[in-house]
């Protein structure tokens, strides 16, 4: 089933598990009871935290606490395992110190999936609850060969690279982290398109959106994003607005359902169970 990635992320946000990126300024060690886990968003190649701007504004306006929202910026031409994973580890530690939280959620677009996943697999897994990959080259992309000669980030994304091979050896989704990937048949930069999905993860196909559409809000995607914002407001107010598929995603991250939500998907499928009502 194809779904809007934004609505699905919004469902996770309402569950108190995923917020969206901006630079937050929380007092060190100031953890409030019941506050959602802080989220670190990680951009893709040759991008920056600004790619999340419009989505951030919409979701914070819908009630996401600004002091739980972070975005990591990095040089995407550097080595995933030798440089970036260590710098991400330091950033996550700083986020935990600022917020007083025990864990973060990581949401990465494209190349950002590799250093975040390396961090989770090789040392940081206990500090991460949810890892979400938007159009990630998790098994490599053949398009990366076009820039691999001069760019280490591109070399890391090539199929069979040292980074890709190490990440996929043994258990692709180790530990107690909840892994989710989003991919689209309209993505022309992840080749093959099956590269994003991981064994043991929740792998979600979304509507036919381009590669960069999955990590931001280009003009072509705005009509879909506007409708998502309306649905988000409906859920936040305790009304409708979330379909069975989206509710399933909501439940998969949190185990919590909104009041009045159906307990099974329409048209059959896996039953939806909740620990408690929200």
């Amino acid at each position: 089933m194809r779904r809007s990635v934004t609505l699905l992320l919004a469902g996770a946000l309402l569950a108190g598990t995923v917020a969206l990126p901006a630079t937050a300024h929380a007092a060190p060690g100031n953890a409030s009871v019941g506050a959602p886990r802080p989220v670190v968003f990680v951009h893709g190649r040759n991008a920056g935290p600004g790619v999340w701007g419009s989505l951030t504004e919409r979701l914070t306006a819908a009630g996401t606490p600004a002091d739980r929202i972070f975005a990591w910026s990095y040089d995407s031409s550097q080595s995933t395992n030798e440089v970036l994973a260590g710098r991400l580890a330091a950033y996550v530690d700083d986020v935990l110190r600022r917020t007083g939280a025990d864990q973060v959620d990581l949401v990465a677009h494209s190349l950002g999936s590799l250093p975040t996943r390396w961090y989770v697999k090789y040392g940081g897994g206990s500090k991460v609850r949810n890892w979400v990959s938007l159009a990630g080259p998790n098994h490599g992309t053949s398009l990366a060969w076009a820039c691999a000669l001069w760019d280490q980030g591109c070399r890391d994304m090539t199929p069979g690279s040292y980074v890709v091979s190490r990440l996929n050896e043994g258990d692709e989704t180790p530990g107690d982290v909840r892994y989710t990937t989003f991919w689209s048949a309209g993505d022309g930069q992840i080749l093959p398109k099956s590269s994003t999905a991981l064994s043991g993860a929740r792998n979600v196909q979304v509507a036919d959106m381009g590669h960069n559409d999955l990590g931001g809000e280009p003009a072509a995607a705005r009509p879909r994003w506007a409708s998502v914002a309306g649905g988000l407001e409906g859920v936040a107010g305790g009304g409708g607005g979330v379909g069975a598929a989206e509710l399933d995603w909501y439940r998969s991250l949190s185990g919590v359902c909104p009041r009045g939500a159906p307990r099974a998907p329409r048209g059959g499928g896996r039953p939806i169970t909740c620990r408690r009502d929200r």
Side-chain angles (χ1 to χ4, degrees):
M1 180 181 293
R2 298 183 301 182
R3 310 156 199 185
S4 165
V5 64
T6 316
L7 182 54
L8 299 179
L9 286 175
L13 167 65
L14 289 169
T17 59
V18 174
L20 288 185
T23 301
H25 302 283
N30 183 21
S32 57
V33 176
R37 273 186 302 276
V39 168
V40 176
F41 265 68
V42 180
H43 61 77
R45 181 174 181 266
N46 290 342
V51 300
W52 310 103
S54 296
L55 180 57
T56 299
E57 292 174 4
R58 285 182 173 169
L59 293 179
T60 53
T64 306
D67 64 355
R68 315 302 283 186
I69 298 172
F70 297 83
W72 182 53
S73 182
Y74 66 101
D75 180 351
S76 62
S77 69
Q78 295 185 313
S79 168
T80 288
N81 58 309
E82 294 178 352
V83 178
L84 297 181
R87 292 181 179 175
L88 175 62
Y91 187 86
V92 169
D93 284 346
D94 185 57
V95 168
L96 295 177
R97 179 188 62 81
R98 289 192 191 195
T99 61
D102 295 325
Q103 292 181 310
V104 301
D105 293 328
L106 292 175
V107 180
H109 177 241
S110 191
L111 171 61
S113 300
L114 299 186
T116 54
R117 193 174 160 213
W118 190 281
Y119 166 69
V120 169
K121 185 166 186 173
Y122 295 108
S126 64
K127 298 177 182 180
V128 177
R129 186 63 184 112
N130 292 296
W131 176 86
V132 180
S133 173
L134 308 173
N138 294 319
H139 293 92
T141 173
S142 58
L143 193 65
W145 288 113
C147 52
L149 185 63
W150 65 85
D151 187 301
Q152 182 61 49
C154 288
R155 284 196 289 278
D156 289 344
M157 288 192 289
T158 57
S161 72
Y162 175 79
V163 167
V164 167
S165 296
R166 287 295 305 277
L167 286 174
N168 293 316
E169 67 182 9
D171 189 352
E172 293 187 350
T173 52
D176 295 327
V177 178
R178 293 167 172 162
Y179 296 84
T180 305
T181 74
F182 290 87
W183 67 279
S184 172
D187 188 341
Q189 295 191 38
I190 301 300
L191 304 174
K193 293 174 176 51
S194 59
S195 174
T196 298
L198 292 172
S199 176
R202 179 174 176 80
N203 300 301
V204 182
Q205 182 180 4
V206 300
D208 288 341
M209 299 172 71
H211 184 73
N212 291 330
D213 294 359
L214 286 162
E217 186 181 2
R222 283 177 187 163
R224 277 172 285 178
W225 287 50
S227 65
V228 164
L232 175 62
E233 291 171 1
V235 176
V242 174
E246 285 69 39
L247 181 63
D248 192 39
W249 160 251
Y250 183 107
R251 181 215 57 80
S252 73
L253 283 184
S254 69
V256 178
C257 288
R259 285 187 298 272
R263 291 303 186 271
R266 290 182 293 275
R270 182 161 58 90
I272 297 171
T273 56
C274 308
R275 289 196 304 270
R276 58 185 172 84
D277 285 348
R278 180 176 180 274

